[in-house]
Amino acid sequence: MLGALITFAVCAGVAAWGRSMLSRWLDELDPAAAWGVGGLFGLGLLGTASLLVGLVPGGLKWGLGLPLALSLWGFAVGWRRKGELRGAKPEGGEWAFVAALALALLFALVGAITPSDMSDWDSLAYHLAVPKMWIAAGQISYVSFIHHSNFPLAIDLLYAWGLQWGGESGAKAFSVAIFGLGLATLFGLARGRWGARAGWWAALCFAGIPAVLWESGTAYIDIGHGLFAGLGLWFVAAWLDQSEDRTPPVLAGLGLGLAMGSKYTGLQSLAVGLAVLGAGAVVLGRFREGVRAAALMGVLAVVLAAPWYAKNVAWTGNPVYPFFFERFGGRNWSQPQADVYRDEQQSFGVGRTESGRDLTAFGEAVVGLAAASEPFINRGQYPLGTLGVAVLAGGFLWAFAGLRRGRRLEAAVLASVLLSLALWFVLSQQSRYILTLAVPLSILAGGAAVRLRAGPVLAGVVALQAAYSLWMIKTLLIDDRLPVALGRVTREEFLTRRVPFYAPSQALNEQVKGGKVALYDEVFGYFLDVPYFWANPGHSSEIPYAALDTGGEYAAALKRQGFTHVYVSLSPVVADPGFVGPWLASMGLAEGNAFPEEQRQALLNQFQTRWKVLLADAVRAGDLQLVAQFRSGLLFEVR
C-alpha cells in the first residue's frame, strides 16, 4: 500500500506540473478538465522523457530522480493554483454520483494493491515483465523474444518507476491515478459545455464501461492510451466548433502524439484526426485555417512520438515492429511469424473472409461491442473486456436526435467515431482497441442526458450500466481480492491458487540459478528472477526450428544459445488433454501410444508445432532430462 501512496503523491505533483506548464492552453477549460488534462498529459510527457533517460546506461537507476523531481516541481508551481481545486459541494442527487465514482475508484485501488492473476494476462506477460527486465539491466535494452517491448511504451515506462519504489502495487497505482484523472477530465469537459449535471453523467458513463472499470486496477494501458487519443479527437472537434485560437490544435497534437507514443493504434487516431479536421475545414469554408491547424497538430504529434519509432528503426529496422514485415522487415522476425501474428490480430470479431472483411457485417460488429462476446476479446476475459450499452447509446442518440440542430462539435465527434470504427472493423476487432472512442462518446452521453428529449432514458441506461458493471467487477474480481487487500490471505496463497505457473516459478528461481530457461506455452516470466526466453516459434526466429531435424540438433541449438533448462507448460489453459498423453508417451515419460508416424510428420510440417516433436525426441534420447514435475508443467535440464 505504501508504494501505491507514493505513486499517488507523484501523480498529484505531476498533475500540478502539467497544469502549470500547459496553462496557456488549459486556462480556458473548466478547472476540473484543466487539472485532469494537465495530469494526463503530464504523465504522458514523463513517460516519454523516461525513454530518453532509460536509454542511457544506468538511466533507470539514477533516473528515478526524474519523476520525484518533476512532482516536487509541480507542487511548488501548482501551489498558486490550489484555489481551482475548490469546487462546489455536491448537492442532493449529486451525492449518488459521488458514491458510485468513489466505489469505482475503490475497486480500482483494490485491484492495484493485490497481485495480478490470469485475468490480468498482458500485465503479467509484458506490461510489468518488460519494465522489470529493464530495471534489472539498469536501462532500456533490446528484448528479442517479446516483440511487445518494441511497442511505444510511454505508459509502461511509468511502471518502471513504480516498480522500483513500490513493487507491483506502485506500478499499477499509475492506472488508478490515470483513471481518476480521466474521470475529472470528462466531468470538466461536459460541465464546461452543458453544466454540472452533464459532467456527472459523463464521468459515470465512462466509469461504468466494464473494460474501463476492470483495467483501472491493472497494468493494461488502454485507459491511458484511450484518454490520450480520445481527447485528441475531442479537441479536433473543438477547433471545428470555434477555432478562435491555437488552443485546440495544440491540445489535440499533444493528445494524439502521446497516443502514438503509447500504442501503435495512435497512428490510426492521428490519421482520423487529420481527416476529420481537413474535411470539416473544407465544409466550413475555412481551408487555410484548417491547413495551419492540421500542420500544427500533426507536427507536434509526430515530434512527440518520433523517439519511439526512431528507436525501433535503430534496433529492428522496422518503425512499427513487428507489423508490416512485408514492407519493412524486422530483426529476429520472419514471414511465417508475421503471418501467424496477423491472423491472430484479425481473428477478433465478425465478418472475416479469405478475401478480407465482409463489409455487410459492420453493423453486427458495432452492436456486438455492447456485449462483446468472445469474438471481440481475448479468451477468458469475457465479460470484463466489454464496452457495455450506455457509451454506444449516447452516440446513437446524438446521431439520430441531436444533430438536426446543427451542432458542429457533436457532428465532428461522431465523424471521428465512425471513421475510427471503420478502421477498427477492417484491421482488428479487439474491443480494447476501441476504448479510444469511449472518451468522446462518454462526454456526448453526458450532454445528451441533460439536453436531448430522450435524455432521461439515456440517463437511466447509464445508471443501470454503471450499477451492473460495479456488481460484475465486485463479483468476478473484488470478492476474491479483498481478503488479500485486507491481509487475511497472503499474496503467495492467492497466486498459487489463481496462477498455475506461480508455484513452478518459485522452484525455477532456485533450480535455474546461474542458468537460463526456455519457456514453452508459458509467458508469465514476470514471476521469474532468473533469465528466461519465450521459446515458442511465434515469438522470435533465434531458435532455427526449420533447420533442425533431430532432437540432438535441437538440444545443441539450445546449448549454443546458453539455455540450461526448458520448461514446458501443461496448464489446462494452453494444453489439449487429448494431445498431452501421446506427447508424454513420445518422450518416454508415460505409458500408452505415442504419436503415429502420420501425426508426427504433420506436427513437423507445421511452423507452430515442429518444436513439440523435436523436444520429445530430445527427451527420449536423453539430451533433455526431466528434473522437476509440477501440476502445470515439466522442467528439463539440457544435458
Side-chain angles (χ1 to χ4, degrees), residues 453-477:
R453 183 175 299 178
V457 176
L458 175 63
V461 172
V462 171
L464 289 173
Q465 177 70 68
Y468 165 75
S469 298
L470 288 167
W471 170 82
M472 179 191 70
I473 295 297
K474 173 189 175 297
T475 303
L476 297 181
L477 296 179

Side-chain angles (χ1 to χ4, degrees), residues 118 124 137 167 186 216 247 299 421 431 457 481 484 501 520 524 578 604 639:
M118 300 290 283
L124 294 175
L186 270 60
S216 62
T247 295
V299 169
L421 283 171
S431 60
V457 176
R481 291 174 175 273
V484 185
F501 182 59
Y520 284 99
F524 292 165
L604 279 171
R639 288 300 194 183

Side-chain angles (χ1 to χ4, degrees), residues 104 107-116 120 123 168 172-173 175-176 179 211-220 223 481:
F107 284 179
L109 177 62
V110 171
I113 64 176
T114 54
S116 293
D120 201 357
S123 294
E168 187 176 321
K172 293 195 293 184
S175 293
V176 183
F179 178 45
V212 170
L213 196 54
W214 159 51
E215 286 197 24
S216 62
T218 73
Y220 279 73
I223 296 178
R481 291 174 175 273

Side-chain angles (χ1 to χ4, degrees), residues 81-102:
R81 298 180 179 273
K82 63 182 183 299
E84 296 180 346
L85 299 176
R86 298 193 187 100
K89 183 179 179 180
E91 298 180 355
E94 291 180 342
W95 282 108
F97 291 101
V98 173
L101 296 176

